[in-house]
Amino acid sequence: MSYPKKKLPKKEKNEIVGGTLYLVATPVGNLSDISERALKVLSEVDFIAAEDTRNTGVMLSRFGISKSMVSYFEHNKRERGEMIAERLERGESCALVTDAGTPAISDPGEDLVCLCAERGIPVTSIPGACAAICALTLSALPTGRFTFEGFIGTPKNERRERLSELAEEKRTIIIYEAPHRLRGTLADLLNYFGERKISLCREITKLNEEVMRTTISDAIKYYENAVPRGEYVLVVEGKKEIQSFDYPEDITEHVNSLIKSGLDRMEAMKKAARERGITKSEVYKSYVSHADES
């Protein structure tokens, strides 16, 4: 699909232009991270579209800004998006903000940008904080190539499909997760990915910021007793290419050699999965299948 091309109107430096949508990044936690340019835009646009007008109102009051606001979130994005676009076409300027970080990243701002593009409405971005990039830089995992997955779907079929695809991803993987789903997601990651390095970043830029650099299985053990708190960004090591190995090529022979070394069958399958960089379920299926054939 091709969208009508429309350049931003000529303007003086930092001048607010009517008929333009401004994507304004706001702090993910520490209010000191807001930029001077963001404050200027928020102060001078005709109105602000916010994911939660109450949260945004609190932030604006901290900076002495009083501005007309409309709510724009997942469940009203179609109706409210049309209204915002109509106001922009009439020449008003609008700042779009999310509760934290950069709008249009894993939130319905994406749909509003598409709508504006279809109608030839100018859109510009006021850069700032983004939780995904902050977590990536803190992870101590490769940052040269990465994939951002946002929130993994909750329907079982969608979740299974996404995780199966990601299991083959060689780039560093960034995932958002809520605290009440963290334990389940960690268990799924181990099941689909096998053992890998992972960095769990929570409460980024806030007083209780925490970065845990560990492995998926150790993270699972830690949260057996610890209560997940705050919003998480999970940064997961990509799948490694196996260059060479010093274990039997056949999975069944590999497991049997570990059993002979003194491990029970389940521990042997877990270790074989870790050594081969595959999931325990793959080892189990292959091992059981071979046993049935025998």
Side-chain angles (χ1 to χ4, degrees):
M1 179 185 295
S2 60
Y3 296 130
K5 296 180 179 179
K6 189 170 182 180
K7 295 182 179 179
L8 288 171
K10 290 183 179 180
K11 57 185 181 295
E12 296 298 323
K13 186 177 181 180
N14 293 331
E15 179 187 346
I16 300 302
V17 176
T20 299
L21 176 67
Y22 293 86
L23 308 177
V24 181
T26 54
V28 296
N30 192 322
L31 287 182
S32 299
D33 292 335
I34 198 162
S35 72
E36 181 179 342
R37 185 180 175 208
L39 291 174
K40 176 178 174 61
V41 170
L42 292 171
S43 299
E44 297 183 4
V45 290
D46 293 305
F47 69 103
I48 295 171
E51 181 180 2
D52 188 318
T53 55
R54 294 165 300 181
N55 290 344
T56 299
V58 170
M59 181 195 71
L60 293 176
S61 67
R62 292 287 297 273
F63 297 106
I65 298 173
S66 177
K67 186 64 58 175
S68 170
M69 286 190 287
V70 297
S71 65
Y72 176 82
F73 55 91
E74 182 63 33
H75 299 297
N76 74 355
K77 64 183 181 182
R78 180 170 299 180
E79 172 193 349
R80 200 55 57 85
E82 291 289 340
M83 182 269 282
I84 293 170
E86 288 173 5
R87 291 182 66 174
L88 289 166
E89 288 178 325
R90 292 199 298 266
E92 293 185 73
S93 57
C94 173
L96 175 68
V97 299
T98 185
D99 272 354
T102 301
I105 298 295
S106 199
D107 81 15
E110 173 185 4
D111 297 79
L112 184 55
V113 173
C114 288
L115 180 61
C116 288
E118 290 171 357
R119 295 192 179 192
I121 298 170
V123 181
T124 190
S125 179
I126 313 301
C130 176
I133 298 302
C134 289
L136 178 65
T137 61
L138 293 170
S139 69
L141 291 171
T143 62
R145 300 180 69 224
F146 61 90
T147 178
F148 173 70
E149 291 297 317
F151 290 96
I152 297 176
T154 51
K156 288 185 178 180
N157 289 340
E158 178 187 339
R159 191 176 181 85
R160 189 183 304 118
E161 183 178 346
R162 289 273 298 278
L163 288 170
S164 296
E165 291 176 358
L166 286 174
E168 300 302 315
E169 177 60 65
K170 296 180 178 63
R171 295 171 293 180
T172 301
I173 303 163
I174 305 173
I175 298 170
Y176 285 166
E177 194 50 278
H180 65 280
R181 289 198 298 263
L182 179 67
R183 288 171 173 150
T185 293
L186 289 173
D188 285 343
L189 290 178
L190 185 62
N191 182 43
Y192 283 89
F193 291 8
E195 186 68 288
R196 294 192 193 177
K197 293 178 182 178
I198 186 173
S199 176
L200 298 89
C201 305
R202 71 178 190 89
E203 301 294 87
I204 294 174
T205 78
K206 299 178 183 177
L207 183 63
N208 295 317
E209 175 179 289
E210 179 182 55
V211 180
M212 180 189 294
R213 303 181 186 93
T214 183
T215 61
I216 296 175
S217 60
D218 283 345
I220 290 172
K221 290 177 183 176
Y222 176 81
Y223 281 106
E224 286 176 356
N225 298 312
V227 179
R229 300 184 188 281
E231 299 299 317
Y232 286 80
V233 183
L234 309 179
V235 187
V236 189
E237 178 182 32
K239 182 177 181 180
K240 288 185 176 180
E241 291 283 2
I242 300 176
Q243 302 297 331
S244 61
F245 48 83
D246 56 3
Y247 48 77
E249 184 175 353
D250 181 76
I251 291 177
T252 300
E253 290 181 16
H254 189 181
V255 174
N256 286 336
S257 69
L258 292 171
I259 292 174
K260 288 178 181 177
S261 72
L263 297 179
D264 63 37
R265 193 177 74 157
M266 292 307 297
E267 286 300 320
M269 285 193 283
K270 288 179 182 178
K271 186 172 182 180
R274 288 196 299 270
E275 291 180 349
R276 303 176 82 91
I278 60 178
T279 66
K280 186 181 70 175
S281 60
E282 290 178 88
V283 173
Y284 180 81
K285 287 177 184 177
S286 178
Y287 188 81
V288 171
S289 175
H290 187 273
D292 290 342
E293 290 174 3
S294 303

